[in-house]
Amino acid sequence: MREGGVVGELLRWACVALFLGRAWQHLRWDAPYRALLWSQETMEGVIAVVVGMSWETYATSPEVAAAIATGVQVIGLFFVLCAVAAGCCSPTRRWTHFVLAAGALALTFLAYVTYRDRLYRIGEFAEYACQFTLPLLLVLWTRGAVSGALLGNLLRVAIACTFVGHGLYAVGLYPTPGDWVTMTMGLTGLGDAAAMTFLRIAGVLDFVVAAALFVGPVARSAALYAAVWGLLTAVARVAAFVRWDSFADTASQWVFETLVRLPHAALPLALFWLLRARAASAEPFPQVRTPSPSEFPQPKPIT
Amino acid sequence: MKKFILLLALCAGASGSALQAATDYYRLSWRADPATTMVVGWRQSGGTNATVHYGTTDHGTNYASYPNSLGVSRTTTAKGMTHQFSRLTGLQPDTPYYFVVRDSQGTSARMWFRTAPSTAKDFAIVAGGDSRNNRTPRQNANRLVSKLRPLFVMFGGDYTDKNTDVEWNDWFADWQLTKSTDGRMYPVIATRGNHDDNLSLVDMFDIPSSNVYYALSVGGSSYMRVYTLNSEITPGGTQGDWLVNDLAANAGVKWKLAQFHKPFFPHVAAKAENDAMYSAWAQAFYDRGVALVVDSDSHCVKHTWPLKPTGSTAPASAFTRDDARGAVYVGEGTWGAPLRPADDAKSYTRDAGSFNAFHWIQVRSDRLEVRTVNVDNATSVGTVSDSAPFTAPSGLNVWSPANGSVITITPRTTVASTTVSFQQGVNGYSGAADTKIRSDAATTNYGADPVLEIDGSPDYAALLRFDLSSIPAGKTITSVSLSVNVTDVSSQPYEIYAMRRSWSESSATWNQASSGVAWSTVGANNTSTDRENTVLGALSSSSTGVRTFTFNASGVAKVQAWVNTPSSNHGFVIQDYVNNTDGLDISSKENGTAANRPKLTVTYQ
């Protein structure tokens, strides 16, 4: 397989995994849109004008709660469509481009409401960068709208944002989530104090890697580290929390958490692949080019 | 004439400001014994030299008449406010204290509180949580606190929506509605939710634990213990060990209550399960007779039957009903939060619903009674009399679901504990095995040596195994300790790890587990095949003689596994090849004095 093809396929299947994960999250569980819809500070006036309800009525209405739940499910169905579009995205299937662009917008909005839900921590929004940029990168790459060099730079920015966002929690500048400590303890056998130290070190490395992605001589190593770490942190959710005695319940809750994080591995791997090609040629990304429509592999649609 | 009027106006303004203290947003909390202490907190906006003047006689706002005064014990800045706290101590139990806060700009209104009793006595509690983004019911719930006049309030977290300065200002303004018309205020035992952070809660309620998990004894040391746990940090580890140990240390307490934010298994289908919390806490609650657990987060209402955990992390089968010993779980956070439908009832759910509410808990010597109160009509509810704290006020809207409006909980019966010790040659026990392995004598077996040496330079380890088959199957292990006779001290901790494979006392060496069977990694150090990597406990001692080391929660769980599956009991290794340089020596089972031999003590129910 050519280098360009490998990058395209990495983006494609990471995007499929991402949307399938988000779809499952929305259809089975929930998503934090209430961080906006239930914000009395932001929405009370809007609700009064648009819906004509008092805030108390709105916030305690079973009908409103049901409507929000339905809305979450509808977005979940849309993400299924996005996964299909990612799976069969090609230069000639222009509808997939529009769907994926809309999917990127939906993911960006999801990142925004998550940022609100996590107490306006900007690092939370940054951590989602790999996810909400991925559909656009796939479309741009598929359409031949970006060169390998530009794609590489876009990848660097997205990966760096994600790793910095993650690092802010890991080093404790934001409260380190209890789940992370529990997960680390479960997988390593460390006590909580040692697990916290481990996370602190990992957080510092997140920052180092984010910076190193922009430093020519070490960028490829940084991308490879980011890919490995991204994969480990994605798979760790399943490894730590899925239990045989409650497989259906725990898999339902945690497999999607792994799927949505696969881009954290796939994007660095794509960057690594691009940098590897550049190193082989000694010129900036000369061997990497977007396949022409006639060359582009035509995957079978997901059914 | 104009100058005179202006002067009058200035004087009036000056005298007005002099009367008004720069303190507001008052709150009460506890850091220590609720019978003899109280923390009075407030917002300080200007002014200096704030002082709490207090006493058991009401002197109104005449601060100078109060016999006691205390300045600021702690000042913090959180959520755009300066908070000050006076930590009152030396108070009389079960006594009303009247107080004012006086500073350079004036004197507050007169308020009062009642200290907790120091012995068993009837009282009431209000418990609930999630007041974060529906202000009208939040204010109603606060008003209802002022009318129910509880001894204290258990608040389950998620005070505000976004944890912002503005929202916390509003929250404290609304909290003033909990103050009764006669000026009585109620201490709040604060829990952290996922919309809060540890630091600001500690700084706004003067919580005694920086990690926001702590326990308070109410009514003396044997009547009630209230556990506040933090669902936003890892539930096991240090917090889990603390809980297990504190419950064990307070085994004789009649009433044990727990509160934390996130339910183990929410009654809202879209909410994620929290089985790590269940695994860390539920069995401890059951083993130690916790009567009532209050959780929040989901924005619905639930009552469960008294529950015994099954160990399964599947929500549908995680509990079975046990009326005699089980803990009742109530929740799930509707103190002013948008409501969600309670659409995920379990087989062990007693009742579930969705409305603005908190729980009114009546504590008596022979029973707890829990009622869930709809707070929407708070303004039309009457007031409880302090002389009859359990008489419902007029208009109180108590939830009356299918299985009854009152949950009655009698003191939990805990199965009597049995403690057994395993020590070679004592009471006919002969099931122990031990040896040491040394890196500098890699092929030498020390099975008959009377001393077990443990060191990190050079690397030595001790292998020990105890046959536990005399513990009946099905018993629940509640504590484990290892007693050893220390003959050479070391302050460096040596960790205990469970062995993964069998080994022979008479042939184990640094290189091999038994004759012809090598360790995967010399020193029994392969964590995949030779030993496990979870620390079960640690040994260190700065003095010689018999010393006892308690296994942690993982250690207790491991011994439980050995009892459940005796074939998995390969004993344990004590070692630290990485960090230590100072050796620790202990007597082996070959020591001539039986009392000096290693002893494993196991308590089970």
Side-chain angles (χ1 to χ4, degrees), chain A residues 213-278:
Chain A
L213 289 171
F214 298 93
V215 180
V218 296
R220 193 161 58 139
S221 299
L224 187 59
Y225 170 87
V228 171
W229 185 240
L231 183 63
L232 287 175
T233 53
V235 173
R237 266 72 184 176
V238 166
F241 294 126
V242 174
R243 303 181 187 213
W244 288 114
D245 73 323
S246 54
F247 182 80
D249 294 297
T250 51
S252 167
Q253 185 168 329
W254 292 103
V255 168
F256 88 82
E257 296 279 9
T258 291
L259 289 176
V260 302
R261 285 171 176 78
L262 288 178
H264 302 172
L267 268 61
L269 196 57
L271 176 61
F272 172 78
W273 203 267
L274 290 168
L275 295 171
R276 179 173 169 270
R278 184 181 66 171

Side-chain angles (χ1 to χ4, degrees), chain B residues 234-288:
Chain B
T234 190
T238 307
Q239 181 175 206
D241 289 345
W242 167 81
L243 174 66
V244 168
N245 292 334
D246 196 277
L247 283 168
N250 291 279
V253 175
K254 175 176 278 186
W255 296 118
K256 301 188 189 79
L257 278 61
Q259 64 169 344
F260 46 84
H261 184 65
K262 287 181 179 169
F264 296 156
F265 303 111
H267 279 57
V268 170
K271 279 280 186 180
E273 319 296 354
N274 296 295
D275 44 77
M277 292 165 53
Y278 166 83
S279 298
W281 299 342
Q283 190 64 45
F285 291 163
Y286 180 75
D287 291 341
R288 293 302 180 185

Side-chain angles (χ1 to χ4, degrees), chain A residues 38 55 59 182 188 192 246 253, chain B residues 133 234 238 273 313 339 533:
Chain A
W38 276 357
W55 184 258
T182 304
T188 65
D192 49 356
S246 54
Q253 185 168 329
Chain B
N133 44 6
T234 190
T238 307
E273 319 296 354
T313 52
L339 301 175
N533 201 28

Side-chain angles (χ1 to χ4, degrees), chain B residues 118 136 149 188 237 254 294 371 417 535:
Chain B
S118 59
T136 300
R149 303 172 73 83
V188 58
K254 175 176 278 186
V294 186
R371 293 166 175 82
S417 293
V535 175

Side-chain angles (χ1 to χ4, degrees), chain A residues 28-30 34-36 38-41 55-57 59-61 65-66 116-121 175-179 181-183 185 188-193 241 243 245-246 249-250 253-254, chain B residues 133-137 140 161-164 167 192 194-197 232-239 269-273 275-276 279 299 311-315 338-341 356 376 533-535:
Chain A
R28 167 60 188 87
W29 299 100
D30 203 356
R34 291 173 188 79
L36 176 63
W38 276 357
S39 170
Q40 187 169 8
E41 184 182 12
W55 184 258
E56 185 184 3
T57 303
T60 56
S61 161
R116 288 183 66 108
D117 192 52
R118 303 292 164 81
L119 312 182
Y120 295 118
R121 295 178 184 128
T176 305
D179 273 354
V181 181
T182 304
M183 184 168 64
M185 292 168 66
T188 65
L190 296 171
D192 49 356
F241 294 126
R243 303 181 187 213
D245 73 323
S246 54
D249 294 297
T250 51
Q253 185 168 329
W254 292 103
Chain B
N133 44 6
N134 195 2
R135 206 168 167 189
T136 300
N140 282 333
D161 189 28
K162 298 294 183 296
N163 205 26
T164 62
E167 289 177 336
R192 181 190 163 189
N194 57 302
H195 287 257
D196 316 314
D197 65 274
E232 307 312 307
I233 64 174
T234 190
T238 307
Q239 181 175 206
K271 279 280 186 180
E273 319 296 354
D275 44 77
S279 298
H299 308 181
S312 167
T313 52
L339 301 175
R340 292 174 183 259
N356 303 311
D376 289 342
N533 201 28
T534 301
V535 175

Side-chain angles (χ1 to χ4, degrees), chain A residues 5 28 32 115 142-143 153 166 187 217 225-226 260 263 290 301-303:
Chain A
R28 167 60 188 87
Y115 149 77
T142 301
R143 291 168 63 96
N153 287 332
H166 183 277
L187 293 177
Y225 170 87
V260 302
T290 307
I302 295 174
T303 57

Side-chain angles (χ1 to χ4, degrees), chain B residues 10 92 114 213 409 493:
Chain B
L10 284 172
Q92 299 170 36
R114 176 177 287 279
Y213 60 83
I409 310 170

